[in-house]
Amino acid sequence: MFIALEQLEEEPVRFEETFAPDQMEYATEGLRQVAPLKVAGIASLLGAEIHVRGSLATQLELECARCIEPVAQTVKRDFDLYYRSLDESPEQDEIAVPRGEEELGFYSGDGLLLEDVAKEQVILSLPMRSVCRPDCKGLCPHCGINRNRETCTCSAPAVDPRWEGLKKFSPVK
């Protein structure tokens, strides 16, 4: 859905959209949307800025950072965002966002896509690292076996002789 400035000049625009799992492309590797993404809210014009408020909800599947098994992630998020036109901003490679305006985004042209707003909010809701469980043992760095399911039979790795000098600093002998 395109939220046009022309529309907003007349009146606020209410939206309620559902995006199927295969409809959105996230630029995050290991992320898969497994349920519809439901977005609802209102967009209005506040001076020269587009104000978008609403909420979204979906179900995602991420890869465990240790064993790459799937991890379910529920996303429910409210948002209250402001978008300023890039066309009216100073011409710079990077634009400094003043303190207190961290929720400020930018749009180009005569409006913005709701899909872009939703996609950004989903990505911002993700944890830095997802782990299938706190005691996940991960993959063996030598044979690649998932150590949560099987016991690795690899021998203890040989210590690189260049690191031998650090042993004298280690509290564990």
Side-chain angles (χ1 to χ4, degrees), residues 152-172:
C152 181
T153 58
C154 293
S155 59
V159 176
D160 187 329
R162 294 174 290 181
W163 297 106
E164 286 293 324
L166 293 176
K167 279 188 177 179
K168 65 182 176 185
F169 299 110
S170 175
V172 179

Side-chain angles (χ1 to χ4, degrees), residues 62 88 90 109 128 139:
L62 308 167
E88 296 174 14
M128 292 293 283
L139 302 176

Side-chain angles (χ1 to χ4, degrees), residues 35-57:
L37 170 61
K38 297 179 181 183
V39 186
I42 187 167
S44 57
L45 204 55
L46 280 174
E49 296 177 349
I50 298 176
H51 182 208
V52 183
R53 319 187 289 271
S55 62
L56 60 82

